[in-house]
Amino acid sequence: MTRHRFGLLDTNTVIVLSRLTDAHALPEEPRISTITLAELSVGPLVATNDLERAHRQAHVQQAEADFEPLPFDAAAARAFGRVAASLRRSGRKTTARTYDAMIAAVAIANALPLFTCNPSDYVGIDELTVVAVPQPMDG
């Protein structure tokens, strides 16, 4: 299988990035979206203890340092309409997976495959190329 040059990383993939053991499972030049940055920013604010808060804040800071996020712009907003319609046609509720639907829209708007450890989150979305990233072992 050929490695993608560019690709958009889903939030869950960004969170486990430091634990991934196969660099070839990712694109050569990974990108993230502003939606992932927003989703990561919630983490420290809802953490239930100081250690968890610090761990989640480290993810936010690392993502900000490592990536220039792609915006949720007008093209992504138009793609989001198509994503929501695809999900509705497949019997899935857009509201239950709003972040995922918006990340998918950014991927579609930028013609990028989406790399995720949770490919089932994106089932039923037309136009989206999903690349499954092996979930790292805990530890």
Side-chain angles (χ1 to χ4, degrees):
M1 183 174 162
T2 50
R3 189 170 177 198
H4 290 271
R5 171 123 192 252
F6 298 102
L8 189 68
L9 305 183
D10 185 16
T11 305
N12 65 63
T13 307
V14 173
I15 290 170
V16 300
L17 205 51
S18 66
R19 296 187 355 246
L20 294 176
T21 56
D22 182 8
H24 286 40
L26 298 174
E28 292 175 31
E29 296 184 41
R31 308 278 197 253
I32 68 168
S33 72
T34 53
I35 306 307
T36 289
L37 198 53
E39 197 171 5
L40 289 172
S41 295
V42 173
L45 301 173
V46 299
T48 57
N49 62 60
D50 289 341
L51 183 60
E52 183 181 0
R53 186 173 298 105
H55 185 68
R56 290 178 176 193
Q57 186 61 38
H59 283 298
V60 175
Q61 291 172 324
Q62 193 67 54
E64 289 175 339
D66 290 347
F67 298 99
E68 183 64 40
L70 296 172
F72 187 87
D73 56 11
R78 286 189 296 279
F80 180 80
R82 298 191 307 274
V83 167
S86 293
L87 289 170
R88 188 172 291 177
R89 280 192 300 276
S90 70
R92 299 183 77 197
K93 294 187 180 194
T94 309
T95 54
R97 308 244 35 118
T98 303
Y99 290 131
D100 292 337
M102 293 175 80
I103 290 168
V106 172
I108 291 167
N110 288 278
L112 294 172
L114 181 66
F115 287 73
T116 179
C117 294
N118 297 325
S120 63
D121 290 349
Y122 297 95
V123 169
I125 299 176
D126 298 339
E127 301 179 55
L128 182 64
T129 300
V130 175
V131 178
V133 175
Q135 184 76 256
M137 301 300 282
D138 286 335

